[in-house]
Structure formats: C-alpha cells, structure tokens
C-alpha cells in the first residue's frame, strides 16, 4: 500500500482569489450603504426646501402685518426699506406687495421663480376705520433647481468619502488577509509538491495562526496514522493464526445455543449438527454426517400435510437466504410431530464462493399449543363450552354464501329462554350458570353432529342447521321445543319450569347477509314471545306483523344514532285562552331529522321508542335541550312558559325524578315556567309513582297537566288522587263537539268535574272557529289545535315577529 502521497497534489491549481473577492464584496457593500444613505438624505430635501420657503413667506407676512398695523398709510420708500431689510437673511429672490391700487416690487419677481402668496388684513385710519387687505407674493428659486443642486452636492460628498474609505479598506485587507492567505497557499503547494516536512506558520495570533496550528496537527496525525497502518498490517498477519482458535470457539458456541443448527455442503449433504438439532430430529450427528439432508429431515405443511422442501436445499438452489417459514411440522423418525419455524442462509468462503448452507430450526410447539388454546377461547363460550357469537356468525356467513348454490339451503333457530331471569333472580347466579350449562347440553344432544349450537349471549342460543330446508327445520324446531317443555331444572331440591321462545328463519338464495338473517330470526323469536312465550314462530318474507316489528327494531338503531348525533328537533304549539285568545303557554313537540335531512313526525318513531324502552332517553333529551334554550335567552324571555310531555316509561323509571330535579337545578330556569304533561293511562298505570312525581315537582313550583283525559275507563275515580293543575280533554271528544251531542256532553262533564276540583281545562284538536265558539259557550279555559296555530320550530318563539303573530 502506497502511503507516501496521502495529501493530494494541487500545486498546479491557480492561486485562490478569496481575499480579493472579500475586498470587492466589502467595497461594493459600502457603496450600497452609501447609496442607501444618500437616498434617505435626498428623500426629504424637497420637503425641507418647501418648508423653508413657507417659513420665509410667513415671516414676511408677519412683519408686514406688524408694519401696517403701526403705519397703515406707510409710504412706498419706507415699505421698500423695511422689507428689503427682512429679505437679507432669507432664500427669497424678491417680493411683490399690492396695497390698495399700489403695487410695490422688491428684487426679482420673474415668472420662472416659485411664488407663495399671503394676504395681510389691517385697519385704515380715519373716522370709519374700515378693514382692508394687502396681498403679499414671495418669490424663491424653483424647487427642482434647488433639489438638483443639493443632490449633486450630496452625491459628490458621498462619492469622495467612499473613494477614500475604499482605498483605505483595500490597503487594510491586503495587510491582514491577502498576504497571510498567499503565504499559506505557498506552503500548501510545497507540501503537495513532495515536501511533507513543511509546516504552516503558527506565529500569528489571529485566525490564520489558529488554522495553521490545526493543519499542522492534522499533518502530524496523518504521518502517525501511516506508521500505525504499517504496524497494523504486521499484526494482521499474526491474527491469522488466531482464526483457528476462534473457529473452535464458534463450534463450542453452536453446541451451546438452544435452537437446532444444521450445516450442509454445497451438494446438500449434512456437514454439522449441533446437540439441539440432534435432540429435535432424533438423529445422532455421527450417523447422519455426509448423508443427504432430504433423507434426514422430513418436513410437512401443517394445513395440507403435504411434504415441504427443506430450507437448506431451497437456499442452495436459489443461492440466497430463505426467510423464516411458519406452519411447518417436523416428522421425526419415531413418528412424533413437532411444530417448528425454519430458515436458511448460504455459507461463503473467503473468495465469496458458496460452499454450503446453514439451517436453523426453532421448536414452537409450546407457543403453538398456547395459540390454539387462545383461538379456542376466542371462539367458544367459557361457561357452556359452546361456540360463541363470533364463531356462530363466522359459520353463518359461510352458510349464507353457500346457500346461493345449494337448493336445500340452511336454517337457523334463535332461542331465548323464557324463565331464565326468574331463576337467576330467585335462586342466584350460581343457579343461573348451572341452568345455562344444562340447557346447552340439552340443545347439543338434540341436533346432528354437522349442525352448530352456539351461545349468542345471556340466555340466547343459536342453532345453525346445515343443508336443512325450512320444512325439515320446522320439524327439528318442534322436536327441540317439545324437549324443552319436558325439561325440568332442579335446584335446591325443587323443580323449576324452563321454557324457550324460538324464531326460525330459512337461509336461502334470498338471504343477503348475516345481519339480515340474525335480525329476521330475532324478530321471529320476539314474535313468539309476544304470542305467549314457549312457542315457535317461523319467519316468512311476506309476514306483515314481522315486517312491522322488523321496522321497529331498525328504528331502535336509528333512534340511538339520532340521540348520539343530536338530530332531534324541538317544535312548539301555543295554548291560548278561549275567552281572550291570549297565549297562556306553549307545548313542546319533538321531531326527528333523518339521515337525509328530512323531518320525521313523532308518530313514525315514538311507537318503536315505547316498545323498546327508549322514551326515558328521548324525554331527557327534550328536557335538557328545552331548558338550555330557555337558559340561553335568560330573563329576556321570562314570559315564555312551556309544557313538556313525559312518557309512562319515564314515570316508571325510579331515577327519572332525580334526573328532572338535577336538570332543573343546573339550568337556572324558574320551575314556575315548567308544566309537565302526563297521559291519563300512564298516570293510572303508575299511580303511586305518578302521585309522588307530581307532589315533589309541584312543591318546587312546577305545574302538571293530565293529557288525553277521558280516554280511560276510570278517569274520574283516579282524578282525586292526582294533584294536577290542568285537564287536557282528549281530542277525540273535542273535534266533533259541534255535530255530536254525546261528545259535547263528555266535554261539559269533564269541564264541570275539573271546575269542582279547581282544575283548569284545555281542549285539544281545535281545528276551526265553530269548535272554539262551542268551547267558549261551555266555559273551557284554554284551547290548542291547528285552528289556532300550527306547530313551529321552537327557536321561532324567541323572535319578536313570531311571538306577536302567535299572541295575535
């Protein structure tokens, strides 16, 4: 290795011109600074000249005013002398004074001069002392000429300064930069020209001295490295002797590692096998050395059970690394199978020639067993051992897909235990768990091995009857139902009856997806419950009752999403005095904004909400958003009183009363502005809770109305137990009051009972003036209906035009 010319030869390069460039850059930088300074100096020259001109004119005008004030009849010679004296210290060229009809001129007044006019007012002597004026014109040189003269003066002065500065700067830079730099260049040329002992001058105390010391140290380091390199080459020769020892140490290491390691020659014959490989394969290294690896190692695909090419052979054939391979099974000579991962890499000699391959086998049988256990736990119910809902849906998906090509199709049974909650509540959870286990065993023994029984959650089970049409599935379902009816669960020495409601649905070419099949089976199951429980209901595509329930079940998800996305809207309808027409308060009504932005009336979604117990959530939403709207307006709209409907489910909810109190307290809205409407049937169904609900909130200042009054069979009997403020007469009696004498008599009776109990009455469904007049004759206090005003968005209440229209 030639190390004599470590530093490259640059002796033929041109001398660097960096100092000259720096000098030029600094010089022209100063020129730029000078030009910039000149620009700012010249920018205000014209303004300063004009200011001087105006100051001259103002001064002369002031002096003339003083002169004329003292000597209003001054003669021309005296005037000329006085103004000539004033003009001596000014830049003005001349003046022109017009007094009365006399014009006096001083100095130059040519037209090529700049002129400023001033007017001087004074009083003439005499008995009348009338006011008169003298016109003064002051002439100066043209502003442009003065600016040009000043610009030349500034530029010549600045140019001289820059010239002197530039020459001085060039001399300084030559001494402190150019000459030291050229000396360093000459030293560098000497070093690269074959004189490595040359060194740079370190005597300077500036940056050149620091750079010289740095480069000298670097040259010394390079020289030292050259010497060390020679010593390293010598040591490398001695290291070759140690390689044999290291090889032996490597073999010891291979013997010690836990993974199986096998090496082969370039033909695929076994060359080496460590103890871990011997243990894993069941072969002794001495007996297999030199044998083809394909005869020693038998690998199978875990899923197909087909023989696999071993990684070492594949590596030799591809002449490259074979990455880890999963799902491999090692078949030992003794018949035992072990799950492994395998990989291989080529072995090269010093010249880069491939001389063999090394293969690594890792025993993963323990981790694979744990994975299988986790997979089983993920797909099976821990309590019953049956497949869980996830596994059931996976196999159901496969059944739905295959049903399009299978004329027999499949069937699904959805079972819901009827008495599980009773057992769980009365006998405890241990009894409930034991019941679920026994029930699972019962179901599993009633179907074929090819069918699937799964626990879908809680007390719900699913049966997938594969390759079973609807007629056959019905027979199976009836047999299952018969066995369940005969089954008795024994706990604590006493038998307990357990039933189940079953929904049956066919899986055929019309089945779209898993969710549709599950929904249909669920609907059929609940139809069986509605029909009396412990029975079977078959889902048919043209079953109108099931379609209605299915539609209601779809509304459950839509309502939950609407609550989450805040897509309900508040409307209001006024309740007015029958006698005066003045608005007494407004009833809050709810609408739903669907996914396409359309308004959905309550009669389309309230039945589903009531059936699936969603009304407390909706009632809470209405109360929170109504009070939030009132709170946002503060005391400005304190006149607005509102009525909110509460469902029977909310009355039956033990926590709803506390919810109402918390929302009222948090809103800051006065309870006197709140009226809650409760339907008569809901109040009767929850009489004790309704009475407590009304009593507590009435004590806070809220009022109550009994809605749809008269529709129940015992309205008057229960009325004494409910302390309400208003009776809302059922609209079915009100709308035909003019033409139906019986309806009129009912309205009169309700009104008389209300008056006897000191309760005011409200008539619903007032649709025309004739009905309103009839109510006025009877004496009903308030009215509500399309004949008075249609519902409108709640926010419209808080706009003055809308409120005036309503009040009218």
């Amino acid at each position: 290795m030639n190390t004599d010319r470590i530093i490259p030869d640059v002796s033929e390069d041109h001398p660097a011109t960096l100092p000259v460039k720096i000098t030029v850059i600094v010089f022209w930088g100063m020129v730029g600074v000078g030009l910039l300074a000149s620009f700012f100096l010249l920018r205000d020259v014209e303004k300063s000249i004009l200011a001087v001109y105006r100051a001259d004119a103002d001064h002369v005008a002031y002096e003339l005013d003083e002169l004329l004030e003292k000597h209003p009849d001054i003669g021309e010679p005296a005037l000329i002398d006085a103004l000539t004296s004033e003009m001596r210290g000014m830049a003005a060229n001349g003046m022109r004074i017009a007094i009365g009809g006399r014009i006096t001129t001083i100095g130059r007044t040519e037209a090529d001069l700049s002129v400023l006019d001033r007017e001087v007012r004074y009083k003439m002597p005499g008995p009348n002392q009338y006011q008169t004026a003298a016109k003064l014109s002051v002439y100066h040189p043209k502003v442009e000429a003065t600016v040009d003269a000043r610009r030349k003066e500034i530029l010549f002065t600045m140019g001289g300064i820059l010239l002197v500065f530039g020459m001085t700067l060039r001399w300084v830079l030559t001494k402190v930069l150019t000459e030291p730099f050229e000396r360093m260049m000459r030293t560098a040329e000497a070093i690269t020209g074959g004189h490595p002992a040359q060194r740079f001058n370190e005597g300077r105390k500036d940056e050149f001295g620091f750079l010289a010391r740095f480069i000298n140290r670097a040259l010394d380091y390079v020289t030292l490295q050259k010497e060390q390199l020679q010593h390293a080459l010598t040591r490398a020769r001695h290291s070759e002797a140690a390689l044999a020892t290291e090889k032996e140490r490597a073999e010891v290491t291979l013997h010690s590692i836990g993974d199986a390691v096998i090496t082969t020659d370039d033909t695929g014959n076994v060359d080496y096998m460590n103890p871990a490989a011997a243990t894993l394969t069941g072969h002794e290294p001495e007996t297999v050395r030199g044998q083809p690896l394909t005869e020693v190692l038998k690998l199978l695909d875990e899923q197909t059970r087909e023989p696999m090419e071993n990684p070492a052979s594949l590596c030799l054939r591809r002449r490259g690394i074979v990455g880890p391979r999963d799902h491999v099974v090692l078949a030992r000579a003794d018949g035992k199978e072990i799950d492994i991962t395998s990989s291989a890499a080529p072995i090269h000699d010093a010249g880069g020639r491939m001389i063999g391959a090394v293969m690594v086998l890792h025993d993963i049988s323990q981790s694979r067993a744990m994975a299988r256990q986790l997979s089983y736990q993920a797909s099976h119910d821990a309590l019953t051992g049956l497949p869980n809902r996830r596994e059931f849906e996976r196999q159901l998906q496969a059944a739905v897909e295959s049903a399009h090509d299978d004329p027999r199709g499949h069937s699904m049974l959805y079972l819901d235990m009827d008495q599980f909650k009773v057992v769980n509540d009365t006998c405890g959870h241990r009894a409930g768990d034991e019941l679920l286990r026994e029930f699972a065993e019962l179901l599993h023994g009633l179907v074929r091995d090819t069918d699937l029984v799964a626990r879908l959650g809680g007390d719900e089970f699913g049966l997938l009857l594969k390759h079973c049409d609807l007629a056959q599935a019905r027979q199976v379902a009836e047999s299952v139902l018969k066995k369940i009816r005969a089954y008795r669960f024994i706990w604590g020495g006493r038998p307990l009856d357990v039933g189940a409601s079953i929904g049956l649905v066919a899986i055929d070419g019309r089945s779209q997806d898993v969710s549709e099949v599950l929904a249909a089976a669920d609907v059929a199951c609940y139809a069986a419950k509605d029909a009396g429980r412990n029975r079977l209901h078959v889902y048919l595509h043209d079953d109108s009752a099931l379609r209605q329930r299915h539609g209601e079940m779809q509304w459950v998800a839509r309502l939950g999403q609407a609550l989450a996305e805040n897509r309900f809207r508040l409307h209001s309808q006024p309740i007015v005095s029958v006698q005066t027409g003045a608005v007494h308060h407004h009833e809050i009504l709810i609408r739903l904004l669907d996914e396409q932005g359309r308004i959905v009336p309550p009669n389309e979604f309230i039945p589903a909400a009531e059936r699936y117990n969603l009304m407390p959530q909706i009632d809470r939403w209405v109360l929170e958003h109504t009070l939030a709207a009132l709170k946002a307006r503060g005391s400005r709209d304190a006149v607005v009183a509102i009525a909110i409907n509460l469902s029977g489910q909310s009355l039956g909810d033990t926590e709803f009363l506390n919810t109402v109190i918390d929302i009222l307290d948090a809103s800051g809205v006065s309870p006197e502005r709140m009226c809650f409407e409760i339907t008569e049937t809901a109040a009767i169904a929850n009489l004790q809770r309704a009475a407590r609900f009304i009593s507590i909130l009435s004590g806070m200042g809220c009022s109550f109305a009994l809605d749809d009054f008269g529709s129940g069979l015992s309205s008057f009997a229960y009325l004494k137990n409910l302390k309400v403020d208003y009776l809302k007469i059922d609209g079915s009696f009100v709308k035909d009051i003019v033409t139906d004498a019986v309806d009129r008599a009912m309205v009169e009776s309700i009104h008389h009972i209300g008056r006897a109990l000191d309760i005011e009455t409200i008539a619903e469904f007032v649709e025309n003036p004739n009905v309103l007049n009839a109510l006025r004759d009877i004496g009903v206090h308030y009215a509500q209906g399309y004949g008075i005003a249609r519902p409108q968005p709640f926010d419209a209440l808080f706009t003055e035009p809308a409120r005036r229209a309503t009040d009218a």
Side-chain angles (χ1 to χ4, degrees), residues 356-399:
V358 57
M359 181 174 63
V360 178
L361 306 178
H362 180 63
D363 184 357
I364 60 170
S365 52
Q366 184 176 2
S367 59
R368 186 64 57 83
M370 293 178 62
R372 292 191 184 100
Q373 182 180 1
L374 290 174
S375 176
Y376 177 86
Q377 292 174 350
S379 60
H380 286 73
D381 175 52
L383 178 64
T384 62
L386 296 177
N388 57 18
R389 188 182 190 96
R390 177 182 176 185
E391 177 65 14
F392 185 82
E393 290 183 356
R394 186 186 69 80
Q395 295 198 34
L396 181 59
Q397 176 66 40

Side-chain angles (χ1 to χ4, degrees), residues 305-351:
R305 311 300 296 176
E306 293 293 329
M308 297 177 62
E309 184 177 9
N310 68 72
S313 301
L314 191 60
C315 172
L316 291 172
R317 182 162 55 83
R318 293 180 177 177
R319 308 186 70 80
I321 296 175
V322 177
R325 304 168 70 187
D326 295 326
H327 304 291
V328 180
V329 174
L330 170 64
R332 289 166 44 112
D334 58 5
K336 183 179 179 182
E337 293 186 351
I338 302 173
D339 294 315
I340 64 170
T341 59
S342 60
S343 59
I347 301 174
H348 298 91
D349 61 12

